[in-house]
Amino acid sequence: MAEIATDKNVTRGGQFLVKETKCENVFTPEDFSEEQLMMRDSVTEFVDKEIWPNKDRFEKKDYAFTEACMKKAGELGFLSVAVPETYGGMGMGFVNTVLVCDYISGATGSFSTAFGAHTGIGTMPITLYGTEQQKQKYVPKLASGEWFGAYCLTEPGAGSDANSGKTKAVLSEDGKHYSITGQKMWISNAGFCSVFIVFARIGDDKNITGFIVENSKDNGISMNEEEHKLGIRASSTRQVFFNDTKVPVENMLSERGNGFKIAMNALNVGRIKLAAACLDAQRRVTSGAIKYANERIQFNTPISQFGAIRAKLADMATACYAGESATYRAAKDIEDRIAAREAEGATHQEAELKGVEEYAIECSILKVAVSEDVQHCADEGIQIFGGMGFSEDTPMESAWRDARIARIYEGTNEINRMLSVGMLIKKAMKGHVDLLGPATKVQEELMGIPDFNNPDYSELFAEEKEMIAKLKKAFLMVAGGAVQKYGPDLDAHQQLLMAAADMLIEIYMAESSILRTEKLVKTKGDSNAAEQIAMAKLYLYNAVDIVTLKGKESVISFAEGDEQRMMLMGLRRFTKYTNMPNIIALKETITSKLVAENEYCF
């Protein structure tokens, strides 16, 4: 298929680093349509009625209750949002898929995991890679909740190295079925699933192959007891054993040897959905902390009036706001890319696969940033509750435990950090993102004389947007220098890649917050968005500190002598404010609103 013509307003995957994005061209939560707001409210009503009041049942490992809630979600249509109407789904766009995943996931990680595993890696591989016959047979049952899906990739010796699995698939003499034998572990929904997506190796193939396997004890499928886990306690998680399990040849998913590609593309979608699944958890934890801080009296004063607590609340809300901004920005970019592909004549399957793959860098960025933010948010929630936060009688303790898995799911955060930079460099080498030109200009700028003119910062965010542009230069300087130094061996320098990834992550998250707020101000006016302005500025301030630290760490690791001194001087230039923001004042602006509203209100 011919390459899609590039609209001047379209920022392709990774291009945010080298192309200025206008606020009018990003999608934000304030842009939700009436339909999307109704969907959000319907999902929230379901969670508040069925999930939130029963948190204790999830914490007591009531797996049957998790399954029952999944069936109710199916009856309400929430399992079918991303499924095409042809196969019994709602056929909604990618933003709607992310929105439902966001708001259905905040009450407990147990249900969030069951929902995500089923709608994502349990259903999506068939929808996107299945034959017409496979989709007609399986997808309607999965979309309605009549059947549930699970995904069998991980093995005792194959975790991050997913393509190294030992599970074997052997073709029968009559050529009618494969016999699958092997062990899978950490399989979500295993205890109540009807169908598995199983990855196995045929012969000595280089890559694994995917299969659709119906769950039947009479077909050589057995399981260990439920795993006892730190969090997500009522999420069914078991080891699954296949012993000469017979699978019809027509149940091979896609082509022989295509399993690794299926697994990787499923993870791309899973990463942005995982980021979304952490957002409402942050909202609920932040709101719970605010309510408690307003009610808890110490020294004859609500603790929400103490600066130490107020600083925490401001940071919690700011991280959530940034996560929302970046997640919905990327979701709409993916949705638009899918639509463009379909307009060019691609099938829904092809369009969605390529649309998500285009923004794989952003998906990895989001997965890392939001999963770490939700953990920090829950940790601060416990701290605000004090001793009570450590008790199972409050929701903070379970939120903290549930959040921990998010940094491991869908590829560990370490893997995703390295992937984000690695994918960006590969895109540059393919000519999809021009890094060389901008990186060369940065090198020339380092050799030149700095501009000492006083800039005009009278317009809102003028300095902040200039700072974002300078942070991008800092990354290009570090990445360009690292590539020049190590070339194709850069992959071996993991600590350097991870430091560079932190710079990349902070740039995307900070820019998304600024763009969202700038767009909001243009419709509401700056006087009606004072708190959002403060959050955008606060996030950027913290991002600058991280870029400074990680940039310094990177430069010192690969540069020496005059080159090192020049790059460190450049880093100082690229991370220097002209007008340093008053951070305590920004936090006070944010927290005053939170405390007055008694909840996360953005």
Side-chain angles (χ1 to χ4, degrees):
M1 189 177 68
E3 181 56 59
I4 293 171
T6 304
D7 187 301
K8 65 179 181 180
N9 293 325
V10 173
T11 302
R12 292 188 60 180
Q15 278 189 337
F16 71 89
L17 192 62
V18 293
K19 180 179 177 182
E20 183 182 359
T21 303
K22 302 293 186 183
C23 70
E24 293 83 4
N25 296 326
V26 298
F27 182 86
T28 76
E30 289 76 31
D31 296 322
F32 286 155
S33 66
E34 285 299 318
E35 177 191 61
Q36 288 165 335
L37 291 172
M38 287 173 63
M39 178 63 76
R40 181 195 67 185
D41 292 345
S42 296
V43 172
T44 302
E45 182 182 358
F46 165 72
V47 172
D48 287 343
K49 180 181 177 183
E50 304 290 345
I51 310 296
W52 189 259
N54 295 299
K55 280 178 67 71
D56 61 322
R57 296 184 67 173
F58 292 102
E59 295 313 305
K60 292 174 181 174
K61 305 181 182 180
D62 191 339
Y63 303 105
F65 185 64
T66 300
E67 182 180 1
C69 289
M70 283 289 289
K71 286 189 178 297
K72 288 180 181 177
E75 291 165 4
L76 292 168
F78 299 147
L79 304 182
S80 70
V81 174
V83 174
E85 293 180 66
T86 311
Y87 310 111
M90 292 187 181
M92 292 185 168
F94 198 79
V95 171
N96 291 63
T97 300
V98 167
L99 184 150
V100 171
C101 188
D102 174 354
Y103 284 91
I104 209 164
S105 301
T108 170
S110 296
F111 182 79
S112 174
T113 296
F115 177 86
H118 171 75
T119 58
I121 52 181
T123 303
M124 185 181 56
I126 305 177
T127 306
L128 297 184
Y129 287 96
T131 63
E132 186 61 27
Q133 182 183 12
Q134 289 169 349
K135 288 185 285 189
Q136 293 285 359
K137 181 176 180 180
Y138 293 108
V139 176
K141 291 180 179 179
L142 293 168
S144 67
E146 178 184 347
W147 280 17
F148 294 114
Y151 182 83
C152 296
L153 177 64
T154 303
E155 299 182 14
S160 295
D161 186 7
N163 203 34
S164 64
K166 307 298 184 192
T167 298
K168 292 289 185 182
V170 179
L171 185 64
S172 62
E173 289 186 8
D174 62 9
K176 292 184 177 180
H177 66 264
Y178 285 91
S179 291
I180 295 181
T181 300
Q183 175 186 359
K184 300 290 183 177
M185 64 190 303
W186 310 124
I187 308 306
S188 297
N189 294 354
F192 61 84
C193 79
S194 310
V195 63
F196 297 102
I197 305 297
V198 181
F199 295 91
R201 193 177 311 279
I202 302 172
D204 295 325
D205 286 1
K206 178 183 177 182
N207 293 322
I208 52 180
T209 298
F211 296 89
I212 303 170
V213 182
E214 294 183 24
N215 187 6
S216 171
K217 292 180 181 178
D218 300 328
N219 191 19
I221 300 175
S222 60
M223 301 182 196
N224 275 5
E225 292 299 310
E226 294 286 354
E227 299 284 354
H228 298 288
K229 308 181 294 292
L230 171 70
I232 57 170
R233 288 180 170 175
S235 160
S236 175
T237 311
R238 294 186 173 193
Q239 290 191 53
V240 182
F241 301 89
F242 299 94
N243 184 17
D244 197 22
T245 299
K246 292 176 175 53
V247 183
V249 291
E250 58 266 27
N251 274 31
M252 179 186 287
L253 191 58
S254 187
E255 303 166 0
R256 177 172 173 170
N258 211 30
F260 186 62
K261 184 182 288 186
I262 295 171
M264 293 303 99
N265 281 329
L267 288 173
N268 285 335
V269 181
R271 284 164 184 154
I272 186 171
K273 290 180 71 177
L274 179 64
C278 294
L279 293 175
D280 200 49
Q282 288 186 75
R283 295 187 199 101
R284 288 176 181 266
V285 166
T286 302
S287 291
I290 295 165
K291 288 180 172 65
Y292 183 81
N294 276 334
E295 294 167 2
R296 175 68 168 165
I297 306 296
Q298 291 291 280
F299 308 104
N300 299 318
T301 306
I303 64 171
S304 62
Q305 298 305 309
F306 297 139
I309 300 297
R310 294 173 75 82
K312 293 181 186 299
L313 293 175
D315 286 337
M316 291 160 74
T318 296
C320 185
Y321 182 78
E324 292 172 343
S325 306
T327 300
Y328 284 101
R329 173 189 182 182
K332 188 60 163 65
D333 283 343
I334 291 170
E335 181 172 290
D336 289 346
R337 189 70 173 170
I338 292 169
R341 290 254 173 203
E342 289 179 327
E344 291 279 332
T347 65
H348 172 77
Q349 290 169 286
E350 293 168 335
E352 185 151 337
L353 282 168
K354 290 297 183 182
V356 175
E357 188 179 355
E358 173 69 40
Y359 293 94
I361 295 166
E362 286 81 355
C363 290
S364 282
I365 285 172
L366 288 165
K367 191 275 178 182
V368 173
V370 187
S371 67
E372 294 182 359
D373 284 342
V374 73
Q375 183 80 66
H376 184 255
C377 180
D379 195 75
E380 292 287 55
I382 289 177
Q383 197 69 12
I384 289 169
F385 270 67
M388 282 299 295
F390 207 67
S391 167
E392 289 187 359
D393 292 335
T394 65
M396 295 297 156
E397 178 264 354
S398 62
W400 186 88
R401 285 187 290 99
D402 284 351
R404 186 60 186 85
I405 190 61
R407 286 151 60 196
I408 299 170
Y409 271 162
E410 312 297 351
T412 65
N413 283 11
E414 291 72 24
I415 289 289
N416 274 284
R417 277 185 163 87
M418 291 183 284
L419 271 176
S420 63
V421 178
M423 288 188 292
L424 181 65
I425 292 171
K426 284 178 183 176
K427 275 203 163 207
M429 290 177 175
K430 290 179 180 179
H432 294 176
V433 179
D434 177 18
L435 291 185
L436 181 60
T440 302
K441 287 182 180 177
V442 171
Q443 285 185 328
E444 292 171 356
E445 185 175 337
L446 290 176
M447 301 295 290
I449 300 172
D451 182 0
F452 293 107
N453 291 330
N454 290 324
D456 178 12
Y457 291 143
S458 56
E459 192 174 315
L460 177 68
F461 289 143
E463 180 166 9
E464 285 73 20
K465 286 194 281 188
E466 182 181 282
M467 183 62 77
I468 291 286
K470 291 195 295 186
L471 295 184
K472 292 177 182 181
K473 290 178 182 179
F475 176 85
L476 289 167
M477 178 186 72
V478 167
V483 170
Q484 283 183 335
K485 173 78 173 181
Y486 298 116
D489 296 327
L490 182 59
D491 285 352
H493 298 269
Q494 293 190 350
Q495 293 183 59
L496 171 56
L497 283 172
M498 289 179 61
D502 282 337
M503 299 171 74
L504 188 66
I505 289 164
E506 292 306 320
I507 289 166
Y508 187 72
M509 302 299 288
E511 182 181 61
S512 298
S513 304
I514 295 288
L515 290 171
R516 175 187 180 181
T517 309
E518 184 184 13
K519 188 175 185 180
L520 179 65
V521 166
K522 287 189 175 183
T523 57
K524 290 184 63 176
D526 54 6
S527 61
N528 293 315
E531 297 80 22
Q532 288 90 335
I533 292 170
M535 287 189 289
K537 289 185 174 185
L538 175 60
Y539 192 96
L540 176 60
Y541 175 86
N542 292 329
V544 170
D545 273 357
I546 293 170
V547 170
T548 302
L549 178 67
K550 296 299 180 178
K552 193 175 182 181
E553 180 182 317
S554 301
V555 168
I556 291 171
S557 76
F558 68 80
E560 297 177 341
D562 289 343
E563 181 190 22
Q564 184 188 98
R565 282 190 288 275
M566 183 182 70
M567 293 180 81
L568 290 176
M569 194 186 329
L571 183 64
R572 286 193 291 273
R573 188 192 306 178
F574 295 145
T575 54
K576 182 181 179 181
Y577 275 97
T578 300
N579 302 296
M580 190 72 73
N582 183 334
I583 296 307
I584 292 177
L586 292 179
K587 290 185 178 184
E588 276 300 303
T589 296
I590 298 161
T591 310
S592 294
K593 179 72 170 178
L594 294 170
V595 168
E597 297 291 335
N598 204 31
E599 64 179 356
Y600 177 84
C601 50
F602 307 111

